[in-house]
Short mmCIF file of all heavy atoms in Angstrom, two decimals:
data_model
loop_
_atom_site.label_atom_id
_atom_site.label_comp_id
_atom_site.label_asym_id
_atom_site.label_seq_id
_atom_site.Cartn_x
_atom_site.Cartn_y
_atom_site.Cartn_z
N LEU A 5 1.34 11.72 1.29
CA LEU A 5 1.70 12.73 2.27
C LEU A 5 0.88 13.97 1.98
O LEU A 5 0.91 14.50 0.87
CB LEU A 5 3.18 13.09 2.14
CG LEU A 5 4.18 12.04 2.57
CD1 LEU A 5 5.59 12.50 2.25
CD2 LEU A 5 4.06 11.78 4.04
N VAL A 74 15.72 10.76 -4.01
CA VAL A 74 14.93 11.90 -3.52
C VAL A 74 15.76 13.19 -3.48
O VAL A 74 15.29 14.24 -3.92
CB VAL A 74 14.28 11.59 -2.16
CG1 VAL A 74 13.72 12.84 -1.50
CG2 VAL A 74 13.18 10.54 -2.35
N LEU A 77 15.68 14.97 -6.76
CA LEU A 77 14.43 15.68 -7.02
C LEU A 77 14.40 17.01 -6.28
O LEU A 77 13.95 18.03 -6.81
CB LEU A 77 13.22 14.85 -6.56
CG LEU A 77 12.90 13.56 -7.27
CD1 LEU A 77 11.65 12.94 -6.66
CD2 LEU A 77 12.72 13.76 -8.75
N LEU A 78 14.87 16.99 -5.05
CA LEU A 78 14.79 18.18 -4.21
C LEU A 78 15.80 19.25 -4.58
O LEU A 78 15.71 20.37 -4.08
CB LEU A 78 14.92 17.78 -2.74
CG LEU A 78 13.82 16.84 -2.24
CD1 LEU A 78 14.01 16.51 -0.78
CD2 LEU A 78 12.44 17.41 -2.50
N PRO A 81 13.10 21.54 -6.82
CA PRO A 81 11.72 21.27 -6.40
C PRO A 81 10.66 22.01 -7.22
O PRO A 81 9.58 21.46 -7.43
CB PRO A 81 11.70 21.70 -4.94
CG PRO A 81 12.80 22.70 -4.82
CD PRO A 81 13.86 22.23 -5.79
N PHE A 85 7.68 19.81 -8.36
CA PHE A 85 6.51 19.88 -7.48
C PHE A 85 5.67 21.15 -7.61
O PHE A 85 4.75 21.34 -6.83
CB PHE A 85 6.95 19.73 -6.03
CG PHE A 85 7.74 18.49 -5.78
CD1 PHE A 85 9.07 18.56 -5.43
CD2 PHE A 85 7.15 17.24 -5.92
CE1 PHE A 85 9.80 17.40 -5.20
CE2 PHE A 85 7.88 16.09 -5.71
CZ PHE A 85 9.21 16.17 -5.34
N VAL A 110 14.53 10.55 4.85
CA VAL A 110 13.87 10.79 3.57
C VAL A 110 12.43 11.23 3.79
O VAL A 110 11.95 12.17 3.16
CB VAL A 110 13.94 9.54 2.67
CG1 VAL A 110 13.11 9.72 1.41
CG2 VAL A 110 15.39 9.23 2.32
N TYR A 111 11.74 10.58 4.70
CA TYR A 111 10.36 10.97 5.01
C TYR A 111 10.32 12.43 5.47
O TYR A 111 9.44 13.19 5.05
CB TYR A 111 9.77 10.05 6.08
CG TYR A 111 8.32 10.35 6.37
CD1 TYR A 111 7.32 9.79 5.58
CD2 TYR A 111 7.95 11.19 7.41
CE1 TYR A 111 5.99 10.07 5.81
CE2 TYR A 111 6.62 11.47 7.66
CZ TYR A 111 5.65 10.91 6.87
OH TYR A 111 4.33 11.19 7.10
N ASN A 112 11.25 12.83 6.30
CA ASN A 112 11.29 14.22 6.79
C ASN A 112 11.49 15.20 5.64
O ASN A 112 10.86 16.26 5.60
CB ASN A 112 12.38 14.39 7.84
CG ASN A 112 12.07 13.64 9.12
OD1 ASN A 112 10.93 13.26 9.38
ND2 ASN A 112 13.09 13.42 9.93
N MET A 113 12.37 14.86 4.70
CA MET A 113 12.59 15.74 3.54
C MET A 113 11.30 15.87 2.72
O MET A 113 10.94 16.97 2.28
CB MET A 113 13.70 15.19 2.64
CG MET A 113 15.09 15.32 3.21
SD MET A 113 16.39 14.91 2.02
CE MET A 113 16.26 13.14 1.92
N LEU A 114 10.60 14.75 2.53
CA LEU A 114 9.37 14.77 1.75
C LEU A 114 8.27 15.55 2.47
O LEU A 114 7.51 16.28 1.84
CB LEU A 114 8.91 13.35 1.46
CG LEU A 114 9.84 12.53 0.55
CD1 LEU A 114 9.42 11.08 0.54
CD2 LEU A 114 9.86 13.12 -0.85
N LYS A 115 8.20 15.40 3.77
CA LYS A 115 7.19 16.12 4.56
C LYS A 115 7.40 17.62 4.43
O LYS A 115 6.45 18.39 4.26
CB LYS A 115 7.25 15.66 6.02
CG LYS A 115 6.10 16.15 6.84
CD LYS A 115 4.83 15.45 6.44
CE LYS A 115 3.71 15.83 7.39
NZ LYS A 115 2.49 16.17 6.70
N LYS A 116 8.64 18.07 4.49
CA LYS A 116 8.94 19.50 4.32
C LYS A 116 8.57 19.97 2.91
O LYS A 116 8.07 21.07 2.73
CB LYS A 116 10.43 19.77 4.58
CG LYS A 116 10.81 19.70 6.04
CD LYS A 116 12.30 19.95 6.23
CE LYS A 116 12.68 19.76 7.69
NZ LYS A 116 14.12 19.90 7.89
N THR A 117 8.79 19.12 1.93
CA THR A 117 8.43 19.45 0.55
C THR A 117 6.93 19.64 0.42
O THR A 117 6.46 20.59 -0.21
CB THR A 117 8.92 18.35 -0.41
OG1 THR A 117 10.33 18.23 -0.28
CG2 THR A 117 8.57 18.66 -1.85
N VAL A 118 6.15 18.75 1.03
CA VAL A 118 4.69 18.85 0.98
C VAL A 118 4.21 20.11 1.71
O VAL A 118 3.22 20.73 1.30
CB VAL A 118 4.04 17.58 1.55
CG1 VAL A 118 2.55 17.75 1.77
CG2 VAL A 118 4.28 16.41 0.62
N ASP A 119 4.90 20.50 2.76
CA ASP A 119 4.54 21.73 3.46
C ASP A 119 4.72 22.95 2.56
O ASP A 119 3.92 23.88 2.60
CB ASP A 119 5.37 21.89 4.74
CG ASP A 119 4.97 20.88 5.82
OD1 ASP A 119 3.87 20.28 5.72
OD2 ASP A 119 5.77 20.68 6.76
N VAL A 120 5.77 22.93 1.72
CA VAL A 120 6.04 24.05 0.81
C VAL A 120 5.18 23.94 -0.46
O VAL A 120 4.73 24.96 -1.00
CB VAL A 120 7.54 24.09 0.43
CG1 VAL A 120 7.82 25.16 -0.62
CG2 VAL A 120 8.38 24.33 1.68
N TYR A 121 4.94 22.73 -0.93
CA TYR A 121 4.16 22.48 -2.15
C TYR A 121 2.95 21.61 -1.77
O TYR A 121 2.94 20.40 -2.02
CB TYR A 121 5.00 21.77 -3.20
CG TYR A 121 6.23 22.53 -3.61
CD1 TYR A 121 7.44 22.34 -2.96
CD2 TYR A 121 6.16 23.45 -4.65
CE1 TYR A 121 8.57 23.06 -3.34
CE2 TYR A 121 7.28 24.17 -5.04
CZ TYR A 121 8.48 23.97 -4.36
OH TYR A 121 9.59 24.68 -4.73
N PRO A 122 1.92 22.19 -1.17
CA PRO A 122 0.80 21.38 -0.65
C PRO A 122 0.03 20.60 -1.71
O PRO A 122 -0.64 19.63 -1.37
CB PRO A 122 -0.10 22.41 0.05
CG PRO A 122 0.33 23.73 -0.44
CD PRO A 122 1.75 23.62 -0.91
N ASN A 123 0.13 20.99 -2.96
CA ASN A 123 -0.57 20.24 -4.01
C ASN A 123 0.27 19.11 -4.60
O ASN A 123 -0.20 18.38 -5.46
CB ASN A 123 -1.02 21.19 -5.13
CG ASN A 123 -2.11 22.13 -4.65
OD1 ASN A 123 -2.94 21.75 -3.84
ND2 ASN A 123 -2.08 23.35 -5.13
N ALA A 124 1.50 18.98 -4.14
CA ALA A 124 2.35 17.89 -4.63
C ALA A 124 1.71 16.56 -4.27
O ALA A 124 1.22 16.37 -3.16
CB ALA A 124 3.74 17.99 -4.02
N ILE A 126 2.64 13.25 -3.48
CA ILE A 126 3.76 12.40 -3.07
C ILE A 126 3.21 11.27 -2.21
O ILE A 126 2.57 11.51 -1.19
CB ILE A 126 4.81 13.19 -2.28
CG1 ILE A 126 5.34 14.36 -3.13
CG2 ILE A 126 5.94 12.27 -1.83
CD1 ILE A 126 6.28 15.29 -2.38
#
Side-chain angles (χ1 to χ4, degrees):
L5 290 174
V74 168
L77 294 181
L78 299 180
F85 305 114
V110 173
Y111 184 84
N112 292 342
M113 288 189 287
L114 294 170
K115 190 71 173 133
K116 287 179 185 176
T117 301
V118 169
D119 289 343
V120 175
Y121 301 91
N123 292 325
I126 301 174

